[in-house]
């Protein structure tokens, strides 16, 4: 075999290898989604409404997609740390965000965010509309909103209310409550509902306007007292608790929406599949029962 023949054969072998590699890469690129685990980022600590909703969805979504769907908690800065992480993730459908009304509020609260909320995400589906409730520790002598307002007026700037962080809906509701009731409250931001509820139970903060999910069991257990819901209608879970409008703050109507978002430019067919499967789960009797509980 001469040198020229050897070189030709070597080139042919390399060419064949390259063709096979390209074919394999093309097949991998066209592999049906999902071909690996999916991560749903919750921008708050475990235990809050975002976390509970996310885990309720992922339990069923893992089955319908045939791949694990993992909840990853990335709390901080009123939910914006987790949102920034997802905004910068590869738009391939494998990294999603459990978004909430907090993220739309944050755009007006923070002077500069590392992402553009409207431009950085593609909506997948709304998951739930959860009522917020004004609660105090059961040891607080206030048994209604009028008595709580009287407490606050007697000690301006002394009564504290906790929230899930600056720019969250709890922060906004507290601000609106202070304005309408004509009182001065001290805002205490937390990273999420779990640490906030712990301090509320321990008496480190006086009240909160959190979503129903993290506090309802403590209300029913007698450790926390619900004074009013912040929505325009009473909540079926707490039918005896009045609305803030009924309690003397007319027109008060604030709640919290939660929804799943994907990074911008996520393939439309992937978003459509996620939407289809999630809507099936959200509308299922099992999911609705779990949410009511």
């Amino acid at each position: 075999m001469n040198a020229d023949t050897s070189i030709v054969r070597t080139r042919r072998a390399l060419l064949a290898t390259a063709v096979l590699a390209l074919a394999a890469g093309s097949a991998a690129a066209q592999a049906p989604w999902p071909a690996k685990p999916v991560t749903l980022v919750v921008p708050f600590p475990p235990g809050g409404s975002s976390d509970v909703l996310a885990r309720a969805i992922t339990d069923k979504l893992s089955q319908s997609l045939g791949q694990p769907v993992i909840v990853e908690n990335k709390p901080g800065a009123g939910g914006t740390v987790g949102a920034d992480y997802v905004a910068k993730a590869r738009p391939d459908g494998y990294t999603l965000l459990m978004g909430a009304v907090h993220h739309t509020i944050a755009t007006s609260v923070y002077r500069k965010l590392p992402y553009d909320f409207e431009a950085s995400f593609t909506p997948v589906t709304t998951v739930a509309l959860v009522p917020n409730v004004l609660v105090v520790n059961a040891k607080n002598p206030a048994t209604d909103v009028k008595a709580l307002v009287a407490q606050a007026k007697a000690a301006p700037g002394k009564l504290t209310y906790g929230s899930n962080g600056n720019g969250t809906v709890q922060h906004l509701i507290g601000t609106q409550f202070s304005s309408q009731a004509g009182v001065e409250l001290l805002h205490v931001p937390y990273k999420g509902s779990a640490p906030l509820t712990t301090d509320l139970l321990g008496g480190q903060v006086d009240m909160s306007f959190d979503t129903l999910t993290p506090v309802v069991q403590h209300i029913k257990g007698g450790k926390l007292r619900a004074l009013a819901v912040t929505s325009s209608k009473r909540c079926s879970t707490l039918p005896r608790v009045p609305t803030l409008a009924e309690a003397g703050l007319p027109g008060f109507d604030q709640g919290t929406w939660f929804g799943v978002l994907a990074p911008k430019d996520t393939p439309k067919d992937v978003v459509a599949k996620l939407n289809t499967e999630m809507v099936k789960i959200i509308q299922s009797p099992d999911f609705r029962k779990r949410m009511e509980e």
Side-chain angles (χ1 to χ4, degrees), residues 78-157:
T80 61
V81 171
D84 182 47
Y85 176 84
V86 177
K88 292 178 171 60
R90 181 177 295 178
D92 54 10
Y94 290 103
T95 306
L96 308 171
L97 174 70
M98 177 54 78
V101 65
H102 315 299
H103 294 110
T104 57
I105 298 171
T107 59
S108 300
V109 173
Y110 291 89
R111 291 184 178 180
K112 187 176 181 180
L113 288 171
Y115 60 90
D116 183 324
F117 182 75
E118 291 188 10
S120 299
F121 297 99
T122 296
V124 176
T125 184
T126 299
V127 175
L129 300 174
V130 181
N132 291 66
V133 57
L134 166 57
V135 293
V136 296
N137 190 292
K139 295 179 181 179
N140 191 311
T143 57
D144 55 30
V145 173
K146 184 178 179 180
L148 185 66
V149 169
Q151 279 186 13
K153 287 185 175 180

Side-chain angles (χ1 to χ4, degrees), residues 137 139 160 190 196-206 224:
N137 190 292
K139 295 179 181 179
T160 57
Y190 287 81
L196 164 57
T197 303
T198 297
D199 276 6
L200 187 61
L201 290 167
Q204 281 74 42
V205 286
D206 296 303
L224 297 178

